[in-house]
Amino acid sequence: MINEFLNGALSYVMPGEDPAGTLIFIVILAVAFTVCFVALVTLLAALFKELTARGRDAVETRPWMTLVYGLVGWLVFGGLATVLASKISLVAIVLPMLVCLVGAPGLYTHIGGRIGAMRNKETSNLQRVVLGATFAMLAVLFPGFGWFIVLPLLLMAEFGTGVQALLRR
């Protein structure tokens, strides 16, 4: 029953054999995902101001350690997900993603602050988060380089920022 509903709903949205329709669908999907991600990171920054500030401070003071923590974390949880390869591995996937969501506002606030400084203008926290998340998502959407280099680096940095934000006092 659910499959029939999803197939019917997707038939209205997902184009058939028309390549132009497929391209338009992909562009609309990318724009919608970007807008939703920026909104989510902004909401998390507003709800968890202290964690965002700790994460931003961690990225500003020790940026390379942020990447190292992220790399180690992804190797550990990736290894767990691979070794377990069962329903328990879902925990090894969901837990790092939750830590990434904790670290994302701090990381993107830092990135947005750096972008704002390039404009020689003082920016508010809201502007920093929106600027950082928007530019990061635009970089991720770049074919090839964004998918295979920028996205993994951002995920590792988000994880490392989240770990440091949770462990710092």
Side-chain angles (χ1 to χ4, degrees), residues 30 33-34 37-38 108 132-142 151 154:
F33 178 75
T34 301
F37 182 78
V38 170
Y108 297 130
T134 302
F135 275 87
M137 287 308 304
L138 290 175
V140 166
L141 291 175
F142 189 76
L151 180 62
L154 280 176

Side-chain angles (χ1 to χ4, degrees), residues 43-61:
L43 178 68
L44 290 172
L47 290 176
F48 304 108
K49 290 181 182 181
E50 183 63 31
L51 280 174
T52 300
R54 285 190 292 196
R56 185 188 65 240
D57 292 341
V59 174
E60 288 174 357
T61 57

Side-chain angles (χ1 to χ4, degrees), residues 19-103:
T22 303
L23 181 62
I24 291 170
F25 173 74
I26 291 171
V27 169
I28 290 172
L29 195 64
V31 168
F33 178 75
T34 301
V35 169
C36 290
F37 182 78
V38 170
L40 175 65
V41 171
T42 305
L43 178 68
L44 290 172
L47 290 176
F48 304 108
K49 290 181 182 181
E50 183 63 31
L51 280 174
T52 300
R54 285 190 292 196
R56 185 188 65 240
D57 292 341
V59 174
E60 288 174 357
T61 57
R62 298 172 27 171
W64 289 107
M65 285 307 295
T66 300
L67 278 175
V68 169
Y69 285 146
L71 177 63
V72 169
W74 280 105
L75 289 175
V76 167
F77 282 106
L80 280 175
T82 304
V83 169
L84 296 176
S86 67
K87 293 190 189 289
I88 298 173
S89 68
L90 183 64
V91 172
I93 295 170
V94 171
L95 185 62
M97 288 298 172
L98 290 175
V99 174
C100 283
L101 285 176
V102 169

